[in-house]
């Protein structure tokens, strides 16, 4: 019911393969892969060659989060590199319906992503086209930022919007998610949690980090917030 997607942005890049195997063994459900272009977001990470290389290391589904300005130009490259989910930001897709259709045609799971300031109405008409919706709970670009509290209400509204349309669609949250922030957003309806520094920076190790988050999320969901 609760899925954790460690973000390799916070991994030790000099030991990337080992780090990925370690989170897989520690119980990760998905691997969150942050692609940044230094244009849409003020930071740069990596592209298809690195994804292709790490694809050999694990069977975990790759949840590729494209924080790039012209995703349409690169969808094939990320599909070929081994993405399972391909997430695009609504803010950079003037023809969002077309972009999501293309991802599905490539045999991948389309994900639509919203920055903290972008209203939900931007994606209302594409909800039936996606496998997951990602609500950013920080301004994208960096790991280790603070969770924006307003994200909780946004997730609750999205959850209601999805139910009104009779859809069953997981809501994912990304940014500042760890044991002390996961509860309210889980109670609001999020089920897939990206965590970078919360997993890779946890003092008791990766397994403890993910178990603690899952436990906290379940507690809040049980109590209904
Ligand atoms: C932020 C990225 C996140 C980031 C999360 O731009 O999209 O996936 O790695 O890191 P934490 O969990 O440290 O906020
Ligand atoms: Zn991300």
């Amino acid at each position: 019911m609760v899925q954790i997607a460690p973000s390799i942005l916070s991994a030790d890049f000099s030991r990337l393969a080992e780090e990925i195997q370690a989170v897989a063994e520690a119980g990760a459900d998905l691997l969150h892969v942050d692609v940044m272009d230094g244009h849409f977001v003020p930071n740069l990470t990596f592209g298809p060659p690195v994804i292709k290389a790490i694809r050999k290391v694990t069977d975990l589904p790759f949840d590729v989060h494209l924080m790039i300005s012209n995703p349409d130009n690169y969808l094939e490259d990320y599909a070929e590199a081994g993405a399972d989910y391909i997430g695009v930001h609504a803010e950079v897709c003037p023809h969002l319906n077309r972009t999501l259709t293309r991802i599905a045609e490539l045999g991948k799971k389309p994900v639509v992503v919203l920055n903290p300031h972008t209203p939900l109405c931007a994606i209302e008409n594409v909800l039936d086209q996606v496998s997951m919706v990602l609500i950013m709970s920080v301004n994208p670009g960096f790991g280790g930022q603070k969770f924006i509290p307003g994200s909780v209400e946004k997730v609750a509204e999205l959850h209601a919007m999805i139910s009104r349309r009779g859809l069953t669609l997981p809501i994912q949250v990304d940014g500042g998610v760890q044991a002390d922030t996961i509860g309210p957003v889980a109670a609001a309806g999020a089920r897939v949690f990206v965590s970078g520094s919360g997993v890779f920076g946890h003092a008791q190790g990766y397994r403890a980090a993910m178990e603690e988050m899952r436990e906290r999320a379940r507690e809040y969901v049980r109590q209904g917030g």
Side-chain angles (χ1 to χ4, degrees):
M1 179 203 81
V2 170
Q3 294 197 308
I4 309 286
S7 162
I8 56 169
L9 189 59
S10 296
D12 176 350
F13 282 4
S14 71
R15 300 186 300 109
L16 196 49
E18 283 167 52
E19 291 273 73
I20 291 168
Q21 279 158 351
V23 287
E25 274 164 31
D29 297 289
L30 301 171
L31 194 73
H32 188 77
V33 179
D34 285 309
V35 175
M36 303 187 186
D37 67 351
H39 186 260
F40 174 58
V41 291
N43 196 7
L44 271 172
T45 54
F46 42 72
V50 171
I51 296 175
K52 195 170 177 187
I54 60 173
R55 186 63 284 183
K56 299 180 194 123
V57 174
T58 179
D59 293 331
L60 276 182
F62 279 8
D63 170 31
V64 175
H65 177 191
L66 295 180
M67 287 162 275
I68 65 177
S69 285
N70 297 297
D72 295 289
N73 298 348
Y74 304 98
L75 298 176
E76 273 93 31
D77 297 333
Y78 286 98
E80 273 169 31
D84 295 286
Y85 294 80
I86 299 182
V88 292
H89 274 259
E91 298 84 7
V92 289
C93 294
H95 309 291
L96 189 53
N97 177 297
R98 179 187 289 153
T99 304
L100 297 169
T101 301
R102 184 73 192 126
I103 295 171
E105 282 171 0
L106 290 166
K108 305 301 172 184
K109 296 190 169 87
V111 177
V112 68
V113 192
L114 287 185
N115 273 340
H117 76 280
T118 308
L120 293 171
C121 60
I123 57 164
E124 193 160 7
N125 295 326
V126 296
L127 288 178
D128 58 344
Q129 283 185 268
V130 296
S131 297
M132 188 156 72
V133 179
L134 171 51
I135 298 296
M136 290 307 299
S137 42
V138 297
N139 291 292
F142 304 94
Q145 302 183 80
K146 266 182 82 135
F147 183 88
I148 298 174
S151 317
V152 174
E153 199 182 325
K154 192 173 186 180
V155 166
E157 283 169 18
L158 174 60
H159 190 248
M161 185 188 274
I162 291 170
S163 308
R164 269 202 309 278
R165 295 188 160 244
L167 299 167
T168 44
L169 197 54
I171 302 175
Q172 182 180 35
V173 178
D174 181 9
V177 176
Q178 36 193 313
D180 62 350
T181 51
I182 199 170
V185 77
R191 289 295 176 268
V192 186
F193 301 93
V194 176
S195 183
S197 47
V199 171
F200 288 98
H202 196 282
Q204 271 84 51
Y206 307 158
R207 182 174 291 279
M210 289 189 268
E211 278 175 6
E212 198 183 352
M213 279 190 266
R214 279 199 189 93
E215 190 43 46
R216 196 63 66 83
R218 284 199 204 103
E219 249 169 57
Y220 269 80
V221 172
R222 265 200 306 269
Q223 292 164 6

